Every structure is written in structure tokens, then in C-alpha cells.
Amino acid sequence: MEFSCKAFKVGKCDGQKVVDGETMPLVLQPPEEARKSDLESLLLALRNNKDWFEQMIIKNSAVLLRGFEVTSAQDFNEIVETCGWDDIRYVGPAPRTHIYKRVWTANEGPLSEFIYYHHEMVLIKEFPKKVLLYCEIPPPEGGETPFVPSFKVTERMLKEFPETVEELESKGLKYSFTAPSNNDKSSMRGRGWEDAFGTSDRAEAERRAKALGMDMEWLPNGGVKTILGPRALTRVFEGRKGRRMWFNTMVGMHGKEISSALMADGTEIPENFVKRCEQIIEEESIQFKWEKGDVLFLDNYALLHGRRPSLPPRKVLVATCK
């Protein structure tokens, strides 16, 4: 599919990669002849080219809008609503604050820590199709949002560990995660269960957890251990060339203090398998420097994403869509 939209000009950014013939991220800028970068022109371009724009997100996995006058959470929300995708409420361990309508802060955990690569809400029964990020305050140093074409991880792991991959695939994965009662913003995974489930009633929290495919064990300190599984190792999604996505959070949760990842029958995942997977994910990662006003669209079916450690200030807002 050749680029054929006069409403945008294709740009470039440092860190771009060509993966399997597609540029990641695809950078779209205001068209030169129009010399208009205002929000209204952008909203009109998105409104008039909705199907094409969505095809670009699926084709390239990541699309970066750069050079437009997107100056606030309200502007970002207008972009989200113009695209017309349904909202999906975030469920997960990251502490977040609601900003405006469909816009939230991204993970408010310490900027000094690396947020490990993940597909958004990968362990929940219903997860977003798209993750939209808006850079309101770019970090002075670091703070990139690296992403990884998930199918490349599967390809390389199958090449190096064919038997282990297929064993994990057939058995499935089981995860556990411990959450405190109340939010702890000193931790990247410090979201309390009361905030996560929107209730302080334990019975109601259990009902809501069940609906999301989780079991719960209450802890003496008022926290809770959630157990999820079995979950798939890889997934194939329609319209994405039959690619087998590395659709799990094995590396991020394996052997951590508040989380674990095992084979669903309780068998330990080999340490060398997890370590090599971690190396491959990093080797396949793609990143660019955030600029003020950037809006990044990620295909959550196709990409893992994370956050590099950052010097303050850094303000990136998020919306998650079906």
C-alpha cells in the first residue's frame, strides 16, 4: 500500500527502523503546501481519512504525528474522540491519574526506573487495540517510549528455543501479582487494589476480578495477591500478516519481588530462556526522542512498549482504545 494521503507529509525521526518492509514509526507531518499545523486542520485530516489512518497504524504498527499544534490534554482528547474508537478503561498495576475526559497520565511511578516492555493489559480478557500517547512536556534527557515488533521476538525465540517455546505454548502461562490496599506512587506497580477495581468492598472486588479472569487471595496486610492464567504465550491477530505476536509478560514478571510467571502446571520457566528473551527484546527495540506536541499511535496487538529512565520533568498522557 503506497502512501497516498495529501492531508499529511511523510517525515523522518531519529531511531526509525524498517522492519519487514515497514517503517516504524511512520512519521506524519503537516503537508508543505498547506503550511497549516493548527489543531483544526489536523482534526479535519483525521476525520476525512479515518479508514486510511487506521490502516497505517495496522500496517506500520506505530504512527507518530509530529509538528502539529497539540498543546494540551484537551487538544489530545479531541484527537482521540475524532478518531472515533471506543474507550477501554485501564486495568493494571500502574498508578495513574484522570486528567480530562478520555485522557489519563501514563505510569506515575518514579521516572528514574525503567518500565519493562509489555502489551497494554495483556493479561486481562479484554485489552486495548490501540494505545495513544501525547507528549505535553518532553524530558530533558532519557524518558523515551521504546517499542518492539512482537513478531520478531517470536521468530527469534522459535529459532533458538523451538522446544521450550512450544512447551510454553501448549501448557500456557500462569502469573501472580501482589497489590497493596492503597496507591503507592513510589512504585511503578504501586496501584492499590481499591483504585484498580474501583471499590473498597472485598466481595465486589472479587466479582470484578473474576469478570476480568483473575482469582484473588487476601493478604494479612490488607493487600491482595491476584492469580491469572493459563494465558497464551503468543497470539495471531487478524489483518497482521499471520504474524505470531509475543503476547505475554513473562520477562517483566518472572521472579520479581511482587510478581511471578510460571508454566500453568507450576513448572519453572528456564532462567536462560527468560534471560535470552530479555536480550532479544532489547535488541529489537525502536525508540525516538519525544518532542513537545508529539502524538504516538501504537498498535497494541503488534507492539510491546516501555519507558526509559528519565530526568524530570516529563509529562506523557495516554488514552486506550478498543
Side-chain angles (χ1 to χ4, degrees):
M1 188 194 305
E2 288 191 20
F3 189 84
S4 59
C5 182
K6 293 179 180 175
F8 299 98
K9 179 185 79 170
V10 178
K12 290 183 178 178
C13 69
D14 289 343
Q16 264 178 332
K17 285 187 186 177
V18 176
V19 182
D20 198 19
E22 309 298 355
T23 304
M24 298 184 190
L26 172 67
V27 180
L28 298 181
Q29 296 176 319
E32 278 173 355
E33 63 275 12
R35 298 199 181 281
K36 290 191 84 173
S37 60
D38 61 286
L39 182 68
E40 282 307 312
S41 299
L42 172 58
L43 296 177
L44 185 65
L46 291 171
R47 206 172 289 124
N48 291 341
N49 299 280
K50 270 186 186 176
D51 291 345
W52 173 86
F53 189 70
E54 188 157 14
Q55 286 172 356
M56 290 298 106
I57 296 169
I58 293 170
K59 174 175 168 285
N60 294 79
S61 301
V63 174
L64 176 64
L65 296 180
R66 174 167 280 181
F68 295 94
E69 291 168 23
V70 187
T71 60
S72 66
Q74 288 81 356
D75 290 355
F76 177 45
N77 186 73
E78 285 205 55
I79 291 169
V80 176
E81 293 191 346
T82 297
C83 288
W85 306 310
D86 289 341
D87 192 38
I88 185 167
R89 185 178 184 273
Y90 172 73
V91 178
R96 291 183 173 183
T97 302
H98 183 236
I99 300 294
Y100 177 79
K101 292 190 177 177
R102 291 178 60 173
V103 178
W104 294 71
T105 59
N107 191 320
E108 292 185 67
L111 287 174
S112 58
E113 293 183 43
F114 178 47
I115 297 174
Y116 196 69
Y117 301 98
H118 58 284
H119 289 272
E120 201 68 20
M121 290 162 58
V122 64
L123 300 182
I124 309 301
K125 280 184 175 175
E126 188 182 19
F127 36 81
K129 194 178 278 188
K130 303 171 192 76
V131 174
L132 282 55
L133 296 162
Y134 160 61
C135 182
E136 190 170 8
I137 302 173
E141 187 180 312
E144 298 91 351
T145 299
F147 57 86
V148 178
S150 217
F151 79 97
K152 294 295 292 181
V153 183
T154 310
E155 276 184 3
R156 291 183 60 182
M157 290 299 285
L158 270 170
K159 201 172 280 184
E160 293 190 32
F161 303 92
E163 289 171 7
T164 310
V165 168
E166 297 308 352
E167 183 186 4
L168 279 163
E169 193 70 273
S170 61
K171 287 182 177 177
L173 291 164
K174 182 169 74 175
Y175 303 91
S176 72
F177 184 82
T178 304
S181 177
N182 298 309
N183 288 345
D184 173 12
K185 287 189 180 177
S186 68
S187 167
M188 294 181 307
R189 291 179 167 182
R191 193 180 191 201
W193 64 262
E194 294 183 23
D195 183 23
F197 295 111
T199 180
S200 56
D201 181 285
R202 289 190 174 197
E204 181 58 27
E206 284 182 23
R207 277 193 292 275
R208 293 179 186 185
K210 206 72 167 171
L212 295 164
M214 300 180 195
D215 291 318
M216 299 174 93
E217 285 178 14
W218 297 102
L219 303 174
N221 64 3
V224 69
K225 182 179 180 181
T226 55
I227 299 134
L228 305 98
R231 292 288 189 270
L233 181 75
T234 66
R235 293 279 295 262
V236 177
F237 295 102
E238 191 181 339
R240 288 156 182 82
K241 300 184 179 178
R243 289 168 170 168
R244 198 169 159 187
M245 307 300 184
W246 192 255
F247 210 72
N248 64 76
T249 185
M250 178 194 74
V251 176
M253 289 179 73
H254 183 266
K256 302 295 190 292
E257 193 180 332
I258 59 172
S259 65
S260 70
L262 303 165
M263 294 188 210
D265 65 357
T267 309
E268 285 283 348
I269 303 166
E271 188 75 26
N272 67 322
F273 181 85
V274 179
K275 289 288 179 210
R276 182 62 184 134
C277 185
E278 187 173 9
Q279 290 171 346
I280 287 170
I281 288 171
E282 189 56 60
E283 286 165 13
E284 295 294 339
S285 68
I286 298 165
Q287 68 181 32
F288 61 90
K289 294 275 185 208
W290 280 114
E291 292 184 8
K292 185 174 172 58
D294 280 351
V295 180
L296 179 65
F297 295 74
L298 298 177
D299 178 359
N300 190 47
Y301 288 3
L303 297 176
L304 299 140
H305 71 278
R307 186 195 73 191
R308 299 274 185 222
S310 171
L311 289 180
R314 176 191 190 272
K315 192 170 185 184
V316 174
L317 304 179
V318 65
T320 42
C321 305
K322 292 184 182 179

